[in-house]
Coordinates of all heavy atoms in Angstrom, one line a residue:
V1140 N 6.2 -5.9 3.7 CA 5.6 -7.0 3.0 C 4.2 -7.2 3.4 O 3.3 -7.4 2.6 CB 6.5 -8.2 3.0 CG1 5.8 -9.4 2.5 CG2 7.8 -8.0 2.3
F1141 N 4.0 -7.2 4.7 CA 2.7 -7.3 5.3 C 1.7 -6.2 4.8 O 0.6 -6.6 4.3 CB 2.7 -7.3 6.8 CG 1.4 -7.5 7.5 CD1 0.9 -8.8 7.8 CD2 0.6 -6.4 7.7 CE1 -0.4 -8.9 8.4 CE2 -0.7 -6.6 8.4 CZ -1.2 -7.8 8.6
V1142 N 2.1 -5.0 4.8 CA 1.2 -3.9 4.3 C 1.0 -4.1 2.8 O -0.1 -3.9 2.4 CB 2.0 -2.6 4.5 CG1 1.2 -1.5 3.8 CG2 1.9 -2.3 6.0
E1143 N 2.0 -4.5 2.0 CA 1.8 -4.7 0.5 C 0.8 -5.7 0.3 O -0.1 -5.6 -0.5 CB 3.1 -4.9 -0.1 CG 3.9 -3.7 -0.3 CD 5.2 -3.8 -1.1 OE1 5.2 -4.9 -1.8 OE2 6.0 -2.9 -1.1
F1144 N 1.0 -6.9 0.8 CA 0.2 -8.1 0.5 C -1.2 -8.0 1.2 O -2.2 -8.1 0.5 CB 0.9 -9.4 0.8 CG 0.2 -10.7 0.4 CD1 -0.1 -10.9 -1.0 CD2 -0.4 -11.5 1.3 CE1 -0.8 -12.0 -1.4 CE2 -1.1 -12.6 1.0 CZ -1.3 -12.9 -0.3
F1145 N -1.1 -8.0 2.5 CA -2.4 -8.1 3.2 C -3.2 -6.8 3.1 O -4.4 -6.8 3.0 CB -2.2 -8.5 4.6 CG -1.7 -10.0 4.8 CD1 -0.4 -10.2 5.0 CD2 -2.5 -11.1 4.6 CE1 0.1 -11.5 5.2 CE2 -2.1 -12.3 4.6 CZ -0.8 -12.6 4.9
G1146 N -2.5 -5.7 3.0 CA -3.2 -4.4 2.8 C -3.8 -4.4 1.4 O -4.9 -3.9 1.2
G1147 N -3.1 -5.0 0.4 CA -3.6 -5.1 -0.9 C -4.9 -5.9 -0.9 O -5.9 -5.6 -1.6
I1148 N -4.9 -7.1 -0.2 CA -6.1 -7.8 0.0 C -7.3 -7.1 0.7 O -8.4 -7.1 0.2 CB -5.8 -9.1 0.6 CG1 -4.9 -10.1 -0.2 CG2 -7.1 -9.9 1.0 CD1 -4.4 -11.3 0.4
A1149 N -6.9 -6.3 1.7 CA -7.9 -5.6 2.4 C -8.6 -4.5 1.5 O -9.7 -4.2 1.5 CB -7.3 -5.0 3.7
L1150 N -7.7 -3.8 0.7 CA -8.2 -2.9 -0.2 C -9.0 -3.5 -1.3 O -10.1 -2.9 -1.7 CB -7.0 -2.1 -1.0 CG -6.3 -1.2 -0.1 CD1 -5.0 -0.7 -0.7 CD2 -7.1 0.0 0.4
L1151 N -8.7 -4.7 -1.8 CA -9.6 -5.4 -2.8 C -11.0 -5.6 -2.2 O -11.9 -5.4 -2.9 CB -8.9 -6.7 -3.2 CG -9.6 -7.5 -4.2 CD1 -9.7 -6.8 -5.6 CD2 -9.0 -8.9 -4.3
L1152 N -11.0 -6.0 -0.9 CA -12.2 -6.3 -0.3 C -13.0 -5.1 0.3 O -14.1 -5.2 0.6 CB -12.0 -7.3 0.8 CG -11.4 -8.7 0.5 CD1 -11.1 -9.4 1.7 CD2 -12.4 -9.5 -0.5
G1153 N -12.2 -4.0 0.3 CA -12.8 -2.8 1.0 C -13.0 -3.0 2.5 O -13.9 -2.5 3.1
L1154 N -12.0 -3.7 3.2 CA -12.1 -3.9 4.5 C -11.0 -3.1 5.2 O -9.8 -3.2 4.8 CB -11.8 -5.4 4.8 CG -11.8 -5.9 6.2 CD1 -13.2 -5.7 6.9 CD2 -11.5 -7.4 6.4
L1155 N -11.3 -2.3 6.2 CA -10.4 -1.4 6.8 C -9.7 -0.6 5.8 O -8.4 -0.5 5.9 CB -9.4 -2.2 7.8 CG -10.0 -3.1 8.8 CD1 -9.0 -3.8 9.5 CD2 -10.8 -2.2 9.9
T1156 N -10.4 0.0 4.9 CA -9.8 0.7 3.7 C -8.9 1.8 4.1 O -7.9 2.0 3.6 CB -11.0 1.1 2.8 OG1 -11.8 0.0 2.5 CG2 -10.5 1.8 1.6
K1157 N -9.4 2.6 5.0 CA -8.6 3.8 5.4 C -7.4 3.4 6.1 O -6.3 4.1 5.8 CB -9.5 4.7 6.4 CG -10.7 5.4 5.7 CD -11.4 6.2 6.6 CE -12.6 6.9 5.8 NZ -13.3 7.8 6.7
L1158 N -7.3 2.4 6.9 CA -6.1 2.0 7.6 C -5.2 1.4 6.6 O -4.0 1.6 6.6 CB -6.5 0.9 8.7 CG -5.3 0.4 9.5 CD1 -4.7 1.5 10.3 CD2 -5.9 -0.6 10.5
S1159 N -5.7 0.6 5.6 CA -4.9 0.0 4.6 C -4.2 1.1 3.7 O -3.0 1.0 3.3 CB -5.6 -1.0 3.8 OG -6.1 -2.0 4.6
A1160 N -5.0 2.1 3.4 CA -4.6 3.2 2.5 C -3.4 3.9 3.3 O -2.4 4.4 2.6 CB -5.7 4.0 2.1
F1161 N -3.6 4.1 4.5 CA -2.6 4.8 5.3 C -1.3 4.1 5.3 O -0.2 4.6 5.2 CB -3.0 5.1 6.8 CG -2.0 5.8 7.6 CD1 -1.8 7.2 7.4 CD2 -1.4 5.1 8.5 CE1 -0.8 7.7 8.2 CE2 -0.3 5.7 9.3 CZ -0.1 7.1 9.1
G1162 N -1.4 2.7 5.4 CA -0.3 1.8 5.4 C 0.5 1.9 4.1 O 1.7 2.0 4.0
V1163 N -0.3 2.0 3.0 CA 0.3 2.1 1.7 C 1.0 3.4 1.5 O 2.1 3.5 1.0 CB -0.8 2.0 0.6 CG1 -0.3 2.5 -0.8 CG2 -1.3 0.5 0.5
I1164 N 0.5 4.5 2.1 CA 1.1 5.8 1.9 C 2.5 5.8 2.8 O 3.4 6.2 2.2 CB 0.2 6.9 2.5 CG1 -1.0 7.1 1.5 CG2 0.9 8.2 2.8 CD1 -2.1 8.0 2.0
V1165 N 2.5 5.2 4.0 CA 3.7 5.1 4.7 C 4.8 4.3 3.9 O 5.9 4.8 3.8 CB 3.5 4.6 6.1 CG1 4.7 4.2 6.9 CG2 2.6 5.6 6.9

Side-chain angles (χ1 to χ4, degrees):
V1140 170
F1141 181 88
V1142 167
E1143 286 187 10
F1144 183 67
F1145 293 105
I1148 291 172
L1150 288 170
L1151 179 68
L1152 300 173
L1154 180 64
L1155 301 175
T1156 304
K1157 292 180 178 185
L1158 184 62
S1159 300
F1161 179 74
V1163 164
I1164 289 173
V1165 170

